[in-house]
Amino acid sequence: MSDRFPPGFLWGAATSAYQIEGAVAEGGRTPSIWDTFSHTPGRTDGGDTGDVAVDHYHRMREDVALMADLGLTAYRFSVSWSRVQPTGRGPAVQLGLDFYRRLVDELLDHGIQPALTLYHWDLPQELEDAGGWPARDTAHRFAEYAALVGAALGDRVEHWITLNEPWCSAFLGYASGVHAPGRTEPAAALRAAHHLNLAHGEATSALRAALPARDQIAVSLNSAVIRPLSPDPADLAAVRRIDDLANGIFHGPMLHGAYPANLFADTAPVTDWSFVQDGDLRAIQQPLDALGLNYYTTSLVSAADPRGADPRRADARADGHGASAHSPWPGAASVAFHQPPGERTAMGWTIDPSGLYDLLLRYTKEAPGLPLLITENGAACEDGPGPDGSVHDPDRIGYLHDHLATVRRAMEAGADVRGYYLWSLMDNFEWSFGYGKRFGAVYVDYATLTRTPKSSARWYAELARTGELPLVPKA
């Protein structure tokens, strides 16, 4: 197998607005659900907020120059809905759009293709106050917002992503409550999932009407790779149940125009799904130009001991999504999660590149002919500057090398992968974990906001320059 990637393969890095921008009260921006959540005591580690984050709003040109120095050919960023349309309704605020116009122009001036994500979890607080994603109207508001951004930037941005990880928005935000808005209502989480699907479909249609025909529209799913603890039929049934809740609930309507056959029965004790209206599935299933996949780790499940005394069961965080007394899996009390074996990142996530191979081959069969993008992949590591100020992160280099080698193997097996976006460009606000987890290829000193490329950034720059996997340096 060759370690060389084809010409034209996109070498990118990814970020999101609330995690890096700061300037939360400038240019007409109003609070999002993450502003409210992070300012609520006990919601984030250390009480950290994104008020300043890494101040990308004021350091944008410096950051784009850094991307160019690293040889990136693409940059995936998200637009802050609250910065562009503060109430989630009405006309756009031009000051907000101007920031993204400047960002896009700066990227293009440096030969970097912008990839714009419309929604990375920062719903305007006024829309949450009106019901949030469990309310059907939010989907319609999102389509209007998509049209505004499309009209403003469609002439210069060719790569568009509607939603990032709608599973997290629905189930971590409205079921387990570990993400904003912090609600713990299983029925509302399932309504939110459907309305996120509807928002994706309506926004895709709105973008098609606003964008030039050349532009490409995708969605980014954090599709889970779920494995059984044993070949026992009960454990295999547990895999199917979680797969429907993690994957099929989104790719079913988006790609096939239908929810999984067993999903309604599995969740009948939670909701009757009467919020699905005639025509919704047609509206959701819109043609896509690519499918974005975010991958970090695998999941390991079994049937739960009905007595609640299964000696195989791992700790409460074994599903990898944070500690909560409330499950992010409505209707799945019969499933137990276990910590997969193997080395782990600083997030506690098992390192398993084979899961990425399985994911890419799955969607090669699930959506034949649809190009694939890896829109997030990376690792949180315990790294920091040495005595000379440099930051060496051999663990991250090893992680990236092994996952990218797996991508090449999947491509050899027939997966049509067009690009890879490293998560993340730089250390930033890691949601409910605050600033305690570092995913960046660039180290950020949070006291001074100085940026220092880590050794992984230089390794990735070599890969972007040559298209061939560099060797992993000896520790």
Side-chain angles (χ1 to χ4, degrees), residues 345-347 380-384 392-393 395-396 436-438:
T345 68
M347 292 291 287
C381 299
E382 302 288 352
D383 45 40
H392 296 293
D393 54 345
D395 290 346
R396 182 173 289 106
K437 304 296 182 186
R438 293 182 178 268

Side-chain angles (χ1 to χ4, degrees), residues 356-369:
L356 180 54
Y357 180 89
D358 293 347
L359 188 66
L360 291 171
L361 269 292
R362 172 181 184 164
Y363 281 98
T364 297
K365 296 177 181 177
E366 191 84 38

Side-chain angles (χ1 to χ4, degrees), residues 259-444:
Y259 283 103
N262 295 301
L263 180 64
F264 293 170
D266 289 345
T267 57
V270 181
T271 182
D272 62 5
W273 288 82
S274 59
F275 46 82
V276 179
Q277 297 184 12
D278 289 345
D280 282 2
L281 293 170
R282 288 191 300 276
I284 294 167
Q285 189 190 14
Q286 297 299 315
L288 293 173
D289 301 298
L291 177 65
L293 298 172
N294 297 354
Y295 175 81
Y296 293 96
T297 190
T298 57
S299 296
L300 185 65
V301 303
S302 72
D305 187 323
R307 300 165 297 177
D310 189 339
R312 304 173 301 174
R313 183 157 188 160
D315 61 68
R317 298 179 70 145
D319 71 352
H321 299 298
S324 173
H326 304 271
S327 172
W329 305 102
S334 61
V335 178
F337 283 81
H338 308 267
Q339 178 67 53
E343 295 183 39
R344 306 183 198 178
T345 68
M347 292 291 287
W349 298 343
T350 298
I351 301 170
D352 186 356
S354 71
L356 180 54
Y357 180 89
D358 293 347
L359 188 66
L360 291 171
L361 269 292
R362 172 181 184 164
Y363 281 98
T364 297
K365 296 177 181 177
E366 191 84 38
L370 186 63
L372 304 176
L373 295 165
I374 299 165
T375 40
E376 288 184 24
N377 177 238
C381 299
E382 302 288 352
D383 45 40
D388 64 351
S390 62
V391 183
H392 296 293
D393 54 345
D395 290 346
R396 182 173 289 106
I397 292 175
Y399 180 101
L400 296 177
H401 177 278
D402 292 351
H403 282 75
L404 282 159
T406 296
V407 173
R408 278 298 298 132
R409 188 162 65 91
M411 293 171 72
E412 294 278 351
D416 183 11
V417 185
R418 303 288 181 88
Y420 177 94
Y421 292 86
L422 167 67
W423 186 270
S424 176
L425 173 65
M426 55 187 148
D427 297 332
N428 54 46
F429 177 79
E430 185 49 41
W431 307 114
S432 59
F433 292 97
Y435 295 97
K437 304 296 182 186
R438 293 182 178 268
F439 276 89
V442 174
Y443 182 85
V444 177

